[in-house]
Amino acid sequence: MTLVRCLWAVLRLWAVLLLTAGCATGPDRDPRDPLEPMNRAITRFNDVADEWVGTPVATAYRNVLHEQIRGRIRNFFANLADPWIGINDVLQGKFFDGFESGMRFVFNSTLGLFGLHDVASDMGIEKRDEDFGQTLGRWGIGDGPYIVLPILSSSSVRDTVGWGADIFLGDPVTYFRPIALRNSAYAVRFVNRRADLLDASKILEQAALDKYIFQRDAYLQRRRNQVYDGNPPREPRLRDEEPEKEPAKEPAKEPAKEPAKAQ
């Protein structure tokens, strides 16, 4: 599938979700999640796929490879992401942050041996996490409906479009050739990330009464914090929420009148 076809598919998905979002709401449904029935079905599919494939492969991967080796792999892919992070910093008006992300890539790619060692962090250059979905958010584009993507899990309409740009414009792995090398790099990166999240997923399974709601709310809150760099404005009150009622004030008591003095 060519790049143009992939981008066109993402745009069509966005249009379909926007059209269906308006007719999928219910009286008791979270307005941020009008596609909840579909999202829950995809979540169940993802859980089964992760139980039978993702978790066993990630567990075996973690057991076979030492943490230091997995750390080098993590650093390598993180270094490849720094130029795109820097571009998104600049697009958001954070020019110095973009410069620092670019310098991280230069130092780690040279002194750090193609990014295997994170020497930039040792030099005090902070690692940032920016993507095109956050850039769209800083430009004033709202999340849109919350959606769950097969295998990729939580997203939103805005972040799905941003993810398409991240993959086809900002991810160097997309241009690895031959194709077998590109697909192998995708697989290694995915398994390495899943291995890093094994303990967190166990905690989630034990702590959440409704895993779907917990994951949805955590994702939306995290993305909002990322868009506003940890300092989001107060969210507007939803229409169906009743304003908080102030406690009724007791009527002021009139001062007692003194009895008239006899003359």
Side-chain angles (χ1 to χ4, degrees):
M1 183 179 290
T2 64
L3 173 60
V4 175
R5 289 183 179 179
C6 290
L7 291 175
W8 179 240
V10 171
L11 290 175
R12 285 190 298 177
L13 173 62
W14 191 9
V16 170
L17 291 173
L18 287 175
L19 290 174
T20 56
C23 58
T25 56
D28 300 325
R29 189 160 299 160
D30 191 315
R32 303 170 302 172
D33 187 10
L35 305 174
E36 182 175 340
M38 181 191 75
N39 287 335
R40 284 187 178 271
I42 297 176
T43 298
R44 288 192 292 270
F45 167 81
N46 288 345
D47 289 343
V48 172
D50 185 68
E51 179 182 359
W52 288 92
V53 180
T55 299
V57 171
T59 301
Y61 175 87
R62 188 174 67 173
N63 292 338
V64 170
L65 292 184
H66 191 273
E67 164 59 25
Q68 290 186 356
I69 299 177
R70 289 186 278 117
R72 300 294 180 268
I73 294 173
R74 188 185 309 118
N75 290 341
F76 173 77
F77 287 111
N79 182 57
L80 292 181
D82 276 335
W84 183 241
I85 291 173
I87 291 174
N88 280 285
D89 277 324
V90 172
L91 291 175
Q92 296 174 32
K94 298 179 288 188
F95 299 104
F96 183 75
D97 291 352
F99 170 76
E100 284 198 333
S101 294
M103 295 308 299
R104 280 186 58 86
F105 179 74
V106 172
F107 289 136
N108 285 340
S109 298
T110 54
L111 302 178
L113 301 177
F114 303 102
L116 296 177
H117 302 275
D118 186 5
V119 297
S121 292
D122 296 335
M123 298 168 63
I125 305 178
E126 181 184 354
K127 171 68 175 177
R128 293 177 173 82
D129 183 14
E130 302 288 346
D131 53 58
F132 196 64
Q134 294 179 52
T135 299
L136 293 176
R138 288 301 290 253
W139 290 351
I141 299 176
D143 293 311
Y146 172 77
I147 56 178
V148 179
L149 300 176
I151 304 302
L152 300 176
S153 193
S154 296
S155 185
S156 66
V157 171
R158 183 197 66 204
D159 290 342
T160 300
V161 175
W163 173 78
D166 294 336
I167 291 295
F168 298 116
L169 299 178
D171 188 1
V173 177
T174 304
Y175 303 100
F176 282 11
R177 293 296 182 272
I179 300 300
L181 174 62
R182 183 198 66 185
N183 294 340
S184 298
Y186 277 141
V188 171
R189 181 169 62 182
F190 178 82
V191 174
N192 198 73
R193 287 180 179 176
R194 185 65 188 89
D196 290 338
L197 296 173
L198 283 173
D199 295 334
S201 60
K202 292 178 181 178
I203 296 175
L204 175 62
E205 293 285 351
Q206 297 172 358
L209 297 177
D210 189 329
K211 178 183 174 182
Y212 172 82
I213 293 179
F214 181 88
Q215 184 172 328
R216 178 194 66 197
D217 292 348
Y219 174 82
L220 294 175
Q221 182 178 0
R222 173 176 173 269
R223 290 299 288 173
R224 183 172 175 81
N225 284 333
Q226 287 179 325
V227 167
Y228 292 101
D229 296 328
N231 188 29
R234 179 174 297 180
E235 296 187 64
R237 188 183 301 277
L238 298 176
R239 294 179 183 177
D240 54 351
E241 288 184 359
E242 295 183 0
E244 296 181 2
K245 296 181 179 179
E246 298 182 359
K249 297 181 179 180
E250 296 183 1
K253 296 182 179 180
E254 296 182 0
K257 295 182 180 180
E258 296 182 0
K261 295 181 179 179
Q263 303 203 1

